[in-house]
Amino acid sequence: MLRPAPARRLPGLLLLLWPLLLLAAPDPVARPGFRRLGTRGPEGSPGRRPSSVAPDGAPASGASEPGRVSGAGVCKSRPLDLVFLIDSSRSVRPLEFTKVKTFVSRIIDTLNIGPADTRVAVVNYASTVKIEFQLQAYTDKQSLKQAVGRITPLSTGTMSGLAIQTAMDEVFTVEAGARGPSSNIPKVAIIVTDGRPQDQVNEVAARAQASGIELYAVGVDRADMESLKMMASEPLEEHVFYVETYGVIEKLSSRFQETFCALDKCALNTHGCEHICVNNRSGSYHCECYEGYTLNEDRKTCSAQDKCALGTHGCQHICVNDRTGSYHCECYDGYTLNADKETCSVRDKCALGSHGCQHICVSDGAASYHCDCYPGYTLNEDKKTCSAIEEARRLVSTEDVCGCEATLAFQEKVSSSLQRLNTKLDGILEKLQVNEYGQIHR
């Protein structure tokens, strides 16, 4: 409970120095054990690991203490469905009611307002209940605070139970702009009153809490403490607040700022993500990887993607993975990579291995070739195979010998035939001579 300190007499010199002492006093929010609200980006914005060395070279605060909350950026307001239930009975004077509206506006200032962040509604109550605006009515701080500023008091009576019931039945609904159970967005109600409820609050507050609504009770001046405890959620020391006058109620806004703070676990540098830490709306986080990398099964470290295995690389011949998570294309032997860095063209037909040369393939350009033989060999008539020179000579000699023998055989055959022919001719001539001689001597 916040209560003003009793007035004390101070010496004149101390009175003069008191404002300076207040300025020099440490910020109570910065004391150990208190959470501090920091900046918050949109969902999905990567958190960054803070450097372990401050810009001036000194060790950063908390760098050697993992998990310690140190400074702005570590704490952020979490998304809420937040409903203010404000007592505007006749006991609340106009100036005091303005203080209540300032208190509401200051809490709004500490929140991230938006359809995907915190949504705010206000229920005004006295003997009757009026829903000033629903959760889906305003999506930015300026219009929301302007709507709060236009709220006017109602009348006599303090029907706190009816106000809670109305909020539960007509405000914390999906139709009115509240988010469903699957969203995991907390439903929070803050009741501000300065009197004793004129209706039953314990049962309706229990039903509200059972439905998932977290209730905070703020009592001012003549507020009944037992009734505040009946309305508030457990633990009471965290959900019941009391101030003696409306003049100091604005100070409670910093307390709610701490209450609605969610630790930025990415900024704590204890997340263990190798590449990128991303804060989730639920107050947790998950790890992601740079482009070209895949998150490993441990959900923290990253490995370069095998883009070649994905089959989308476009390489005509060979895909080669690079260490950076990218890839490049290469070509088979005898081919060269084209300007598109994916397709290949023939560079040397000899290198293709389909030339058929027994010994040596000699490239005559990109489109032709001829075969040659190792020293001591000669190219055969097929222009592809080779024979040893001595073997060629032996083959030639063998052919010559074979040719000579055939010639001699032929010559002998012809000679034999000529001899037989000559013999026959001699016989014929002899007969002719005998006949001729016989005729002469007759």
Side-chain angles (χ1 to χ4, degrees):
M1 295 185 297
L2 297 178
R3 297 177 182 273
R8 296 180 181 179
R9 292 182 175 274
L10 298 175
L13 180 60
L14 185 58
L15 285 173
L16 292 175
L17 294 176
W18 184 250
L20 296 177
L21 294 174
L22 288 177
L23 290 175
D27 182 3
V29 179
R31 291 178 296 177
F34 282 82
R35 293 174 294 180
R36 175 179 291 177
L37 185 67
T39 57
R40 179 181 185 274
E43 182 184 22
S45 60
R48 292 180 173 83
R49 298 182 179 184
S51 172
S52 59
V53 179
D56 59 359
S61 174
S64 60
E65 301 177 37
R68 176 181 173 184
V69 180
S70 56
V74 175
C75 184
K76 61 180 183 180
S77 67
R78 51 193 170 123
L80 306 169
D81 284 340
L82 176 61
V83 179
F84 290 94
L85 291 80
I86 55 177
D87 177 2
S88 64
S89 58
R90 186 169 297 176
S91 61
V92 183
R93 298 178 181 87
L95 181 59
E96 294 173 336
F97 192 70
T98 300
K99 293 284 187 181
V100 173
K101 293 192 292 184
T102 300
F103 164 67
V104 172
S105 294
R106 288 196 174 180
I107 292 180
I108 291 172
D109 278 332
T110 67
L111 304 173
N112 289 90
I113 303 298
D117 292 297
T118 294
R119 302 178 185 181
V120 176
V122 173
V123 175
N124 189 5
Y125 76 94
S127 58
T128 59
V129 176
K130 179 183 178 183
I131 300 173
E132 295 291 346
F133 52 84
Q134 296 280 18
L135 290 166
Q136 61 190 3
Y138 301 101
T139 58
D140 64 275
K141 287 185 182 182
Q142 183 176 0
S143 58
L144 187 57
K145 290 164 63 176
Q146 288 174 349
V148 171
R150 292 191 293 268
I151 298 174
T152 58
L154 294 177
S155 60
T156 59
T158 308
M159 305 295 287
S160 301
L162 181 60
I164 296 173
Q165 186 69 52
T166 301
M168 183 170 52
D169 294 342
E170 302 180 32
V171 183
F172 284 113
T173 64
V174 174
E175 295 76 15
R179 284 158 283 194
S182 61
S183 66
N184 293 321
I185 301 296
K187 292 177 173 55
V188 178
I190 300 176
I191 306 168
V192 182
T193 181
D194 72 341
R196 182 189 298 271
Q198 296 175 345
D199 57 356
Q200 295 296 319
V201 295
N202 54 344
E203 292 184 4
V204 67
R207 289 196 301 271
Q209 294 171 33
S211 70
I213 300 173
E214 186 177 8
L215 291 169
Y216 290 85
V218 177
V220 184
D221 194 9
R222 298 171 298 276
D224 180 60
M225 182 58 67
E226 292 303 316
S227 298
L228 296 178
K229 293 178 181 179
M230 288 182 187
M231 292 186 287
S233 299
E234 295 285 348
L236 295 178
E237 60 270 18
E238 295 180 7
H239 292 82
V240 177
F241 300 91
Y242 176 81
V243 290
E244 291 188 348
T245 67
Y246 281 100
V248 295
I249 192 173
E250 298 171 16
K251 295 182 179 180
L252 286 178
S253 60
S254 61
R255 295 289 301 273
F256 281 101
Q257 177 181 358
E258 298 165 14
T259 299
F260 298 149
C261 166
L263 290 178
D264 185 345
K265 293 191 176 181
C266 288
L268 292 176
N269 199 26
T270 59
H271 47 77
C273 298
E274 183 179 4
H275 285 183
I276 303 169
C277 178
V278 180
N279 287 301
N280 299 331
R281 293 189 180 279
S282 61
S284 61
Y285 69 95
H286 68 274
C287 301
E288 293 182 359
C289 298
Y290 299 138
E291 184 178 358
Y293 290 80
T294 301
L295 195 64
N296 295 327
E297 291 185 0
D298 61 8
R299 315 307 297 173
K300 291 181 178 292
T301 59
C302 301
S303 298
Q305 292 177 354
D306 186 352
K307 291 199 171 181
C308 292
L310 298 177
T312 58
H313 47 77
C315 297
Q316 184 180 2
H317 284 182
I318 304 170
C319 177
V320 180
N321 284 301
D322 297 328
R323 291 184 178 179
T324 58
S326 61
Y327 68 94
H328 69 274
C329 300
E330 293 182 358
C331 299
Y332 301 139
D333 290 341
Y335 290 82
T336 185
L337 193 64
N338 295 327
D340 61 7
K341 301 300 182 183
E342 292 188 346
T343 60
C344 302
S345 297
V346 175
R347 180 185 70 234
D348 184 355
K349 284 197 171 183
C350 287
L352 299 179
S354 59
H355 46 76
C357 297
Q358 184 180 4
H359 283 186
I360 302 171
C361 179
V362 180
S363 179
D364 296 327
S368 63
Y369 67 94
H370 69 274
C371 298
D372 205 346
C373 297
Y374 301 139
Y377 291 81
T378 184
L379 193 65
N380 296 328
E381 290 184 1
D382 61 7
K383 301 300 183 183
K384 291 183 177 289
T385 61
C386 299
S387 297
I389 293 176
E390 291 299 326
E391 179 67 15
R393 287 177 179 174
R394 187 186 65 78
L395 291 174
V396 171
S397 299
T398 302
E399 290 175 359
D400 289 345
V401 170
C402 292
C404 291
E405 290 178 351
T407 301
L408 290 173
F410 177 74
Q411 288 175 352
E412 288 177 359
K413 187 175 181 181
V414 171
S415 178
S416 176
S417 298
L418 288 175
Q419 287 178 358
R420 288 194 301 271
L421 181 60
N422 285 334
T423 302
K424 288 181 180 182
L425 288 174
D426 288 344
I428 293 171
L429 289 173
E430 186 177 351
K431 288 179 180 181
L432 289 174
Q433 287 177 359
V434 170
N435 290 338
E436 183 180 356
Y437 179 80
Q439 290 179 355
I440 292 173
H441 289 282
R442 283 179 185 178

